[in-house]
Amino acid sequence: MSETILPLVLFALISTATPGIATTLSTASGAQFGFRRSVPLMAGSAAGLATVAAAGAAGLAGLLAAVPSLQLAMKIAGSLYLIWLAIKIGRSGPPNLDISMARPNSFFGGAGIQWMNPKGWAMGLGAAASFAALADGPLQLALLLGAVFGLAAAFSLSLWCAAGTLLARLLKTERQWRALNIVLGLLLAASILQMWRPV
């Protein structure tokens, strides 16, 4: 494997750190229950994204080997979706931290969130199409993407959870939240450029 995985790691870190269902839930859980009691939710969500990325890579990588022109189409579709997502994130206000939870979500609840999350599938499929050259076959690509996205999600969700109470205290206005979301949206859009770098 002669290609570097740094662009993939950067893409995974930025895309898992941007606001979405899992990050909002981790932030809310951290604010309501603390970090320790939120660990099962975060672990399940990270494992769920890892399995989504691996499943997408395993199936898509085989198809890409058979139809190489499909990689360009997937790259275009994935980029367009992520640009749309970056714009949506940049235009959003504060997350809804008033999610009513009687107790912290479970490991399987966290995994289920990712299995039903279109953002997770778009990230996994987009990465599989864009970074297929990093692996020698579908199984290796599935293992690589599963590991990178799982670890990136665990790191990102931990940060959101730990910052839940702090963000709720520091960011008081919609304007402050909007500024943060604009920065995150721009970072997500910038990560798309890595998918289009010459290989």
Side-chain angles (χ1 to χ4, degrees):
M1 182 167 63
S2 60
E3 300 296 327
T4 176
I5 67 165
L6 185 59
L8 170 61
V9 171
L10 178 63
F11 175 79
L13 282 171
I14 291 172
S15 50
T16 58
T18 56
I21 297 168
T23 56
T24 300
L25 192 56
S26 293
T27 304
S29 184
Q32 291 183 8
F33 304 112
F35 189 90
R36 189 182 60 79
R37 293 183 67 199
S38 300
V39 166
L41 165 70
M42 293 184 292
S45 190
L49 183 59
T51 59
V52 163
L60 187 62
L63 188 57
L64 288 173
V67 187
S69 62
L70 184 59
Q71 183 172 353
L72 177 61
M74 288 294 301
K75 204 182 273 195
I76 291 169
S79 294
L80 289 175
Y81 175 79
L82 291 171
I83 288 169
W84 172 82
L85 187 61
I87 292 169
K88 187 175 177 184
I89 289 166
R91 296 181 65 193
S92 64
N96 179 11
L97 295 179
D98 297 326
I99 297 171
S100 179
M101 295 182 287
R103 58 190 170 129
N105 212 329
S106 68
F107 178 91
F108 291 108
I113 289 164
Q114 294 292 9
W115 295 330
M116 297 180 292
N117 185 358
K119 178 186 172 186
W121 284 101
M123 286 188 299
L125 291 173
S130 302
F131 300 106
L134 293 176
D136 292 330
L139 179 59
Q140 189 181 36
L141 183 61
L143 292 173
L144 175 65
L145 292 189
V148 170
F149 275 93
L151 291 171
F155 177 75
S156 299
L157 294 176
S158 294
L159 290 180
W160 277 102
C161 182
T165 303
L166 180 62
L167 287 174
R169 289 180 184 160
L170 293 179
L171 301 179
K172 300 287 188 186
T173 67
E174 184 173 340
R175 185 177 186 182
Q176 291 169 333
W177 276 105
R178 195 171 295 279
L180 173 66
N181 288 335
I182 287 170
V183 169
L184 291 171
L186 289 172
L187 287 172
L188 179 59
S191 76
I192 296 168
L193 297 175
Q194 296 294 328
M195 295 180 357
W196 289 93
R197 71 178 177 81
V199 289

